[in-house]
Amino acid sequence: MCFGPFPLHQTMASRKESAASGSSPLETPVKQIQIDGLVVLKIIKHYQEEGQGSEVVQGVLLGLVVEDSLEITNCFPFPQHTEDDVDFDEVQYQMEMMRSLRHVNIDHLHVGWYQSTHYGSFVSRALLDSQFSYQHAIEESVVLIYDPIKTAQGSLCLKAYRLTPKLMEICKEKDFSPEGLKKACIGFEIMFEEVPIVIKNSHLINVLLLDLQEKSTVADKHELLNLSSSNHLEKSLQLLMDRVDDMNQDIGKYNTYCRNLSKQQQQKQQYLQRRQQENTQRQSRGEPPLPEEDISKMFKPPQAPPRMDTLLIAGQVTCQSVIFMGRSLF
């Protein structure tokens, strides 16, 4: 299982020092993300070199904050490693990379991380925990989600997400119970917020792209109607069905919890009624009532299943539905 690279405390210290040196702190949330075209190419190249099928690749985003815009000017990949690589130190690797970038006068401040996705199945507990760690340490950080399959079909798919303030509060309190999520009015549709992306290139790069566009052959406009994309539709539908099955299993667990809780409440009421009747009979015979007992210890409520996993599965179902409809329509 892959987890996102975690932010470094040294990055936060550098950011605070830059704010103390004269730049004003961020007073408004990030409303736009500006990415250098070279960063996009590095992310695509990283997946082409190390991504295999459903293998997820991850990396660190570097840049700076300008007013309400987050400028991503550089990135570096996070190497693939297994549990057997005991000698690999993630923190030390990030520190060495950032130290090398700083020596050549390149932006070295952490502003987030990126991750590839397989048919849009990026909503997971690992991503939630990693992004929470980032936003808790670096308020304006984002996660970039790159879809290589959709990009290979001719349409660059790169989206930026942040956790909403409500979800950040829930994660800080670590109250994922049904009552806690209901009290906070948290639903899957307000767990993540998408931030618009603008890709910026230098004037020389724009001239080169225009030159290449004139030299390239015009693609067939009806190419997207080719039936060769049916295998992608089949895979998207299969993943959507798997997510729906997961949702049904999770709903079944919650229904079982509700039935057990209702059954216990009935047993508790029956016990209290029998006890009240017995005290009435003892009082009529002139006997003292039964001693008080702690009902909560006798009838411990069943353990409520965590609802955060259900919300994440609902988010996956929504993402898979949008991707499937997009592939079937276009």
Side-chain angles (χ1 to χ4, degrees):
M1 182 178 295
C2 295
F3 295 91
F6 293 99
L8 302 177
H9 295 289
Q10 287 79 358
T11 305
M12 295 175 58
S14 300
R15 186 177 299 276
K16 292 178 181 178
E17 291 173 1
S18 62
S21 63
S23 59
S24 59
L26 184 67
E27 297 179 354
T28 57
V30 174
K31 297 181 180 179
Q32 177 180 284
I33 297 178
Q34 179 178 293
I35 308 178
D36 285 0
L38 182 60
V39 176
V40 179
L41 293 178
K42 285 184 177 181
I43 295 175
I44 296 175
K45 183 173 181 289
H46 182 199
Y47 178 81
Q48 291 178 347
E49 291 179 348
E50 297 190 12
Q52 298 179 359
S54 60
E55 188 71 23
V56 173
V57 298
Q58 299 172 333
V60 177
L61 300 175
L62 307 173
L64 66 159
V65 179
V66 180
E67 296 180 353
D68 61 351
S69 177
L70 178 63
E71 297 184 3
I72 300 176
T73 58
N74 203 351
C75 70
F76 61 84
F78 203 67
Q80 300 282 0
H81 65 279
T82 61
E83 297 179 354
D84 298 333
D85 301 332
V86 293
D87 296 334
F88 180 75
D89 190 345
E90 301 178 0
V91 176
Q92 184 65 25
Y93 168 78
Q94 295 186 55
M95 287 298 300
E96 291 180 356
M97 287 294 297
M98 295 171 63
R99 189 180 299 112
S100 300
L101 293 173
R102 182 174 55 189
H103 287 166
V104 293
N105 198 23
I106 295 179
D107 294 333
H108 61 280
L109 296 183
H110 255 128
V111 294
W113 59 294
Y114 69 84
Q115 173 181 301
S116 65
T117 180
H118 184 64
Y119 288 97
S121 56
F122 65 91
V123 181
S124 64
R125 188 60 180 270
L127 182 135
L128 175 65
D129 294 339
S130 297
Q131 183 57 25
F132 170 73
S133 299
Y134 260 96
Q135 280 188 230
H136 185 65
I138 310 170
E139 183 180 1
E140 59 271 17
S141 62
V142 299
V143 53
L144 290 183
I145 302 298
Y146 167 64
D147 188 345
I149 297 177
K150 192 171 183 179
T151 301
Q153 295 179 347
S155 176
L156 176 63
C157 186
L158 189 66
K159 296 185 178 182
Y161 294 96
R162 287 169 47 84
L163 301 184
T164 59
K166 282 189 175 182
L167 186 57
M168 286 293 295
E169 291 296 328
I170 289 293
C171 293
K172 288 179 183 178
E173 298 175 359
K174 297 182 179 180
D175 184 9
F176 302 130
S177 62
E179 294 78 12
L181 295 178
K182 183 179 180 180
K183 181 180 179 180
C185 298
I186 288 290
F188 69 89
E189 66 278 358
I190 58 174
M191 293 177 62
F192 296 89
E193 57 183 3
E194 184 176 353
V195 186
I197 294 178
V198 175
I199 299 178
K200 181 183 178 181
N201 292 315
S202 65
H203 298 299
L204 291 177
I205 295 295
N206 289 331
V207 172
L208 176 62
L209 292 176
L210 290 175
D211 188 31
L212 293 176
Q213 184 178 2
E214 293 178 357
K215 294 180 180 180
S216 63
T217 57
V218 180
D220 186 3
K221 295 182 179 180
H222 302 286
E223 184 179 355
L224 295 177
L225 300 178
N226 195 332
L227 295 179
S228 61
S229 62
S230 60
N231 58 337
H232 295 294
L233 293 176
E234 181 180 356
K235 183 63 177 179
S236 298
L237 182 59
Q238 182 62 46
L239 291 174
L240 177 59
M241 293 170 60
D242 293 340
R243 299 291 82 77
V244 172
D245 289 340
D246 294 339
M247 174 65 74
N248 288 333
Q249 293 179 6
D250 216 65
I251 291 176
K253 294 179 181 178
Y254 184 71
N255 290 336
T256 301
Y257 159 75
C258 292
R259 288 194 297 267
N260 293 337
L261 183 62
S262 177
K263 182 178 179 181
Q264 188 188 70
Q265 292 294 334
Q266 293 178 0
Q267 294 176 351
K268 184 178 179 180
Q269 292 297 329
Q270 292 175 0
Y271 174 80
L272 291 176
Q273 290 177 1
R274 290 196 304 267
R275 185 178 179 84
Q276 184 178 5
Q277 292 176 0
E278 188 172 353
N279 281 333
T280 303
Q281 295 175 1
R282 292 174 66 90
Q283 185 178 6
S284 63
R285 295 194 299 265
E287 299 176 357
L290 296 173
E292 295 291 337
E293 296 181 354
D294 190 355
I295 304 299
S296 59
K297 292 183 179 180
M298 298 179 59
F299 296 92
K300 294 183 178 181
Q303 183 70 26
R307 299 298 291 167
M308 181 57 69
D309 294 338
T310 305
L311 293 179
L312 293 174
I313 294 175
Q316 292 178 2
V317 171
T318 302
C319 293
Q320 294 292 342
S321 301
V322 172
I323 292 174
F324 176 73
M325 292 299 296
R327 296 188 188 280
S328 62
L329 291 177
F330 301 101

